[in-house]
């Protein structure tokens, strides 16, 4: 698995990292560079082994301009335990990071083990997110968290910031009075009044090391799977940080209707965290398998009809993404070619999730027996656990596990070639059968049809009892209306009046779709709900589609976009701010 990773500036093939220890202090001062300003400061100690047969005199780590290294020292075993200072300097790499070059006074020999101690500080930057008290749910104390995926942890600590290599870590974190620190670690203990010690006993890639510090309260709600509910500005539904998933408070819908996200993040424990994509061009290996596992679990918990309905909403998202981006867009391949200098985060879209799900479903369809395929997935995880892999590694294992499929030459069936799946952009060649969801989808489709006519048949409409519908049925209904929008004049106003459960929803998935319908139909009396929703949370998946809809809407909608952004920019994640700015002022305009 000598996979290249153009998104890393580090010499991760020349040195093996065996362990990382962070010793950090958090200061919640004002933003900015001055003394007493907010930041994390301390040391990172990397346990390294030289892999170069002829030895090496330079080590490159991923770093970032926001990360200020003030001292570097090497500790070699056997030598007098004196740490020898080593020279280090920054070298440009890309707009999302730089290289930290460490030069050894005498070269490291092949297989030699040594420790590198870096003293550093990080203040304002993309990897460490500082929130003011008003950006938290409690509004009393500030909060800080890190978000590593995809290439942001180089702005948290100097590292090999690539999913290609894994290592164990420990950390000692000092916090101010009244604050709690948590990390993505297998064990933690309090040391004294203000210090927390963490250890991760399994090797993980850099992007899965995560820290959060704030006014945190914990509650036991079941067997040990820890969730951290993040402040509303957290840009993702969930982040599968091992042993401590970070999730959006939007999931607390009050009716357990958004539990799919939790199932998804639990599924990442195997797909993504245990077996990892070796570079970000293979992101489908993390997400396609996780979607497949999520829907397998959901089928057992909630039944096939519900799961097919949820998968249909996922398929609709993929359809919408491909309509907007163009099917032939190179991002719509499973294996994305990330060019040097391109931030992997900028390639993020629905394809690795939903097209990846279709490919895994196709491979299950070739096997033709669910139990056999489930057993194969267990064998796959067992084979590659704690490793980082490419599509070839997985597909070779698949064909070896099912020799009769290999004999049949399933990798080159015309139209469904594995190579075509991976390297041709566009709609998936195979779509799993979602007909078990018809019992839930048909009524939603029929109701949507009724709302599309110029003369509304109110008797037929009122005969449909949507009060008994599950959230995903309502979502599916709204997706159908959105596809057909704009509706005849006056219909959206009537719809909102008849279904306050939808137009006044507190469920984020419904709020998103109602907002999109309101904007696409220029239903201005509900524009305030769009603004209120965008002020209440900062999840990327909700924020960007609504800005796209505002910008392509009426002049009033475009003004709403500018006003909303002006009032919310300070509480959004750095990446989300950049994406919204690109929507508001496209490059080259």
């Amino acid at each position: 698995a000598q996979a290249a990773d153009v998104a890393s500036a580090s010499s991760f093939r020349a040195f093996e990292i065996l362990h990382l220890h962070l010793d950090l202090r958090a200061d919640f001062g004002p933003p900015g560079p001055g003394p007493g300003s907010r930041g994390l400061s301390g040391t990172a100690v990397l346990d390294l082994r030289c892999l170069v047969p002829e030895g090496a005199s330079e080590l490159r780590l991923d770093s970032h301009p926001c990360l200020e290294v003030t001292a570097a020292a090497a500790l070699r075993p056997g030598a007098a335990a004196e740490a020898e200072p080593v020279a280090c300097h920054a070298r440009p790499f890309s707009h999302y990071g730089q290289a930290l070059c460490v030069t050894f006074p005498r070269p490291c020999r092949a297989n030699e083990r040594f420790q590198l101690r870096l003293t550093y500080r990080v203040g304002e930057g993309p990897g460490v997110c500082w929130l003011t008290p008003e950006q938290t749910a409690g509004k009393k104390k500030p909060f800080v968290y890190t978000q590593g995926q995809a290439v942001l942890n180089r702005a948290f600590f100097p590292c090999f910031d690539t999913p290609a290599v894994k290592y164990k870590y420990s950390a000692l974190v000092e916090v101010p009075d009244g604050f709690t620190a948590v990390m993505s670690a297998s064990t933690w203990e309090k040391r004294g009044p203000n210090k927390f010690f963490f250890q991760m006993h399994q090797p993980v890639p850099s992007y899965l090391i995560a820290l959060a510090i704030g006014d945190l309260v914990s509650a036991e709600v079941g067997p040990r799977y820890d969730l951290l509910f993040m402040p509303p500005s957290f840009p993702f539904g969930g982040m599968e940080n091992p042993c401590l998933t970070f999730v959006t408070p939007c999931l607390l819908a009050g009716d357990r209707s958004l539990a799919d996200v939790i199932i998804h993040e639990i599924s990442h424990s195997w797909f993504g965290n245990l077996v990892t994509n070796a570079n970000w061009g293979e992101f489908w290996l993390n997400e396609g398998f996780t979607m497949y596992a999520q829907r397998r679990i959901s089928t057992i918990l909630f039944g096939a009809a519900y799961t097919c309905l949820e998968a249909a909403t996922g398929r609709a998202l993929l359809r919408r993404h491909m309509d907007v981006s163009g099917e032939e867009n190179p991002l719509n391949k499973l294996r994305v070619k990330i060019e040097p200098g391109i931030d992997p985060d900028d390639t993020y879209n629905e394809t690795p999730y939903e097209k990846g799900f279709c490919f895994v479903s196709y491979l299950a369809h070739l096997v033709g027996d669910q139990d056999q395929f489930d057993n194969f997935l267990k064998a796959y995880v067992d084979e590659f656990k704690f490793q980082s892999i490419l599509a070839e590694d997985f597909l070779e294992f698949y064909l070896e596990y099912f020799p009769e499929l290999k004999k049949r030459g399933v990798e080159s069936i015309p139209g469904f070639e594995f190579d075509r799946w991976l390297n041709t952009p566009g709609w998936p060649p195979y779509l799993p059968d979602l007909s078990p969801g018809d019992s839930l989808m048909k009524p939603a489709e029929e109701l949507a049809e009724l709302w599309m006519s110029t003369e509304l048949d109110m008797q037929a409409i009122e005969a449909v009892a949507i009060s008994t519908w599950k959230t995903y049925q309502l979502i599916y209904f709204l997706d159908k209306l959105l596809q057909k929008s704009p509706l005849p004049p006056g219909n959206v106003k009537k719809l909102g009046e008849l279904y306050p459960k939808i137009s006044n929803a507190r469920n984020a998935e419904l709020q998103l779709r109602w907002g999109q319908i309101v904007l696409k139909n220029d239903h201005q009396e509900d524009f305030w709900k769009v603004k209120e929703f965008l002020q209440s949370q900062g999840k990327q998946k909700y924020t960007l589609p609504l800005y796209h809809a505002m910008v392509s809407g009426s002049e009033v909608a475009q003004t709403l976009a500018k006003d909303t952004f002006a009032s919310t920019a300070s509480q959004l994640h750095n990446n989300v701010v950049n994406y919204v700015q690109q929507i508001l002022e496209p490059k080259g305009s």
Side-chain angles (χ1 to χ4, degrees):
Q2 289 295 306
D5 185 355
V6 296
S8 175
S10 69
S11 44
F12 66 92
R13 294 292 181 211
F15 294 85
E16 178 184 10
I17 175 163
L18 303 154
H19 187 269
L20 163 76
H21 178 68
L22 297 172
D23 191 333
L24 298 172
R25 193 183 85 214
D27 295 296
F28 287 97
S37 61
R38 63 192 186 186
L40 298 173
S41 53
T43 58
V45 178
L46 293 86
D47 229 329
L48 296 156
R49 186 167 72 91
C50 179
L51 300 174
V52 185
E54 59 276 13
S57 53
E58 185 188 77
L59 162 74
R60 288 188 316 281
L61 294 169
D62 285 302
S63 181
H64 191 276
C66 71
L67 200 144
E68 187 193 354
V69 178
T70 51
L75 212 78
R76 305 193 186 223
E82 282 301 299
E84 54 175 339
V86 290
C88 66
H89 67 278
R91 192 183 290 166
F93 173 67
S94 68
H95 69 95
Y96 58 85
Q98 64 188 22
L100 180 72
C101 303
V102 179
T103 319
F104 304 110
R106 58 179 178 81
C108 300
R109 297 184 310 281
N111 284 321
E112 184 181 355
R113 271 189 76 162
F114 63 98
Q115 283 187 333
L116 178 66
R117 187 178 70 221
L118 301 166
T119 306
Y120 78 100
R121 181 180 190 281
V122 57
E124 308 300 310
V128 182
C129 309
W130 299 91
L131 303 180
T132 58
E134 36 299 348
Q135 289 172 280
T136 67
K139 308 269 186 263
K140 297 270 196 306
K141 286 186 178 157
F143 188 88
V144 65
Y145 71 92
T146 66
Q147 164 60 33
Q149 197 175 32
V151 289
L152 294 169
N153 266 355
R154 63 192 67 187
F156 170 23
F157 55 93
C159 58
F160 291 158
D161 196 5
T162 169
V165 295
K166 301 184 177 187
Y167 51 93
K168 299 171 185 180
Y169 83 90
S170 56
L172 185 64
V173 182
E174 186 182 346
V175 299
D177 287 343
F179 284 81
T180 300
V182 291
M183 285 191 85
S184 55
S186 22
T187 61
W188 71 277
E189 61 192 66
K190 213 165 168 193
R191 291 209 175 157
N194 292 42
K195 286 190 177 178
F196 295 84
F197 179 67
F198 303 93
Q199 276 183 296
M200 176 46 105
H201 300 295
Q202 280 81 30
V204 292
S206 292
Y207 78 88
L208 290 177
I209 297 177
L211 165 71
I213 303 169
D215 177 10
L216 299 174
V217 180
S218 67
E220 278 293 326
V221 292
R224 193 170 162 70
Y225 169 68
D226 291 350
L227 295 170
L228 176 65
F229 280 93
M230 300 297 281
S233 62
F234 185 60
F236 306 106
M239 177 60 216
E240 65 273 14
N241 297 315
C243 307
L244 183 67
T245 286
F246 288 14
V247 287
T248 173
C250 295
L251 297 187
L252 297 171
D255 58 2
R256 296 192 173 191
S257 60
L258 304 180
D260 302 75
V261 175
I262 304 298
I263 300 173
H264 182 91
E265 304 309 333
I266 289 176
S267 300
H268 269 307
S269 310
W270 297 278
F271 306 105
N273 296 6
L274 205 50
V275 182
T276 309
N277 48 229
N279 59 46
W280 296 113
E282 298 275 17
F283 188 47
W284 77 275
L285 286 170
N286 282 18
E287 295 300 345
F289 280 86
T290 297
M291 291 306 298
Y292 186 84
Q294 172 197 319
R295 288 172 181 154
R296 276 292 292 124
I297 294 167
S298 166
T299 301
I300 288 162
L301 287 180
F302 309 127
Y306 169 83
T307 304
C308 288
L309 174 64
E310 183 278 320
T313 61
R315 190 178 292 178
L317 285 175
L318 181 65
R319 184 67 269 165
R320 202 171 308 147
H321 157 71
M322 288 204 179
D323 289 344
V324 170
S325 63
E327 280 208 17
E328 295 309 302
N329 188 313
L331 291 183
N332 297 336
K333 300 174 183 179
L334 277 186
R335 173 178 275 169
V336 176
K337 185 162 173 35
I338 296 175
E339 299 294 343
I342 296 290
D343 182 342
D345 274 328
D346 294 346
T347 68
Y348 181 89
N349 68 77
E350 300 296 338
T351 305
Y353 294 80
E354 295 297 343
K355 191 175 179 177
F357 166 71
C358 289
F359 188 29
V360 180
S361 302
Y362 172 66
L363 296 171
H365 161 78
L366 288 176
V367 172
D369 178 294
Q370 189 64 62
D371 288 344
Q372 264 193 307
F373 192 71
D374 289 349
N375 289 334
F376 159 73
L377 289 178
K378 289 176 191 163
Y380 160 66
V381 171
D382 195 51
E383 174 76 11
F384 294 111
K385 58 178 181 263
F386 303 118
Q387 296 176 52
S388 303
I389 66 163
L390 298 170
E392 283 81 2
D393 300 308
F394 157 66
L395 291 169
E396 279 167 26
F397 181 73
Y398 173 81
L399 292 171
E400 274 161 31
Y401 189 91
F402 296 112
E404 64 286 4
L405 293 182
K406 190 177 184 172
K407 240 197 244 118
R408 268 173 51 200
V410 293
E411 73 278 14
S412 48
I413 296 171
F416 302 94
E417 300 89 345
F418 290 179
D419 183 69
R420 176 182 168 162
W421 273 102
L422 293 175
N423 300 310
T424 304
W427 197 239
Y430 168 89
L431 296 169
D433 172 28
L434 302 182
S435 61
D438 285 348
S439 59
L440 299 173
M441 289 188 263
K442 279 277 180 332
E445 285 164 15
E446 285 160 9
L447 184 61
E449 272 310 315
L450 291 172
W451 280 103
M452 285 164 206
S453 77
T454 34
E455 297 289 313
L456 289 177
D457 181 347
M458 292 313 289
Q459 201 179 350
I461 285 171
E462 285 167 8
V464 183
I466 73 159
S467 55
T468 62
W469 285 14
K470 292 221 165 56
T471 299
Y472 269 99
Q473 235 176 326
L474 295 171
I475 289 171
Y476 187 77
F477 165 63
L478 295 177
D479 278 342
K480 289 288 165 221
L481 289 178
L482 186 58
Q483 282 165 13
K484 299 286 190 231
S485 288
L487 303 177
N491 284 19
V492 171
K493 183 176 165 64
K494 281 208 186 86
L495 186 95
E497 287 163 358
L498 188 64
Y499 306 139
K501 180 182 177 178
I502 291 173
S503 56
N504 298 327
R506 300 317 300 147
N507 180 305
E509 293 287 332
L510 297 175
Q511 286 172 285
L512 163 68
R513 284 157 176 93
W514 181 245
Q516 289 173 301
I517 287 170
V518 160
L519 291 164
K520 195 120 183 243
N521 290 276
D522 206 31
H523 180 50
Q524 295 182 10
E525 67 187 72
D526 267 15
F527 275 16
W528 64 274
K529 290 179 182 172
V530 175
K531 187 172 184 178
E532 190 185 67
F533 178 51
L534 289 171
Q535 286 169 330
S536 72
Q537 55 76 41
K539 187 177 163 186
Q540 185 171 311
K541 233 175 165 171
Y542 299 150
T543 304
L544 303 186
L546 286 171
Y547 276 99
H548 276 298
M550 286 187 274
V551 164
S552 51
S554 63
E555 265 181 49
V556 182
Q558 291 169 12
T559 308
L560 178 72
K562 295 194 176 79
D563 292 350
T564 306
F565 186 56
S567 71
T568 58
S570 64
Q571 65 191 46
L572 293 172
H573 185 270
N574 181 50
N575 279 17
V576 180
V577 169
N578 292 337
Y579 295 140
V580 174
Q581 281 171 335
Q582 285 168 27
I583 294 168
L584 294 177
E585 294 160 27
K587 286 196 180 85
S589 66

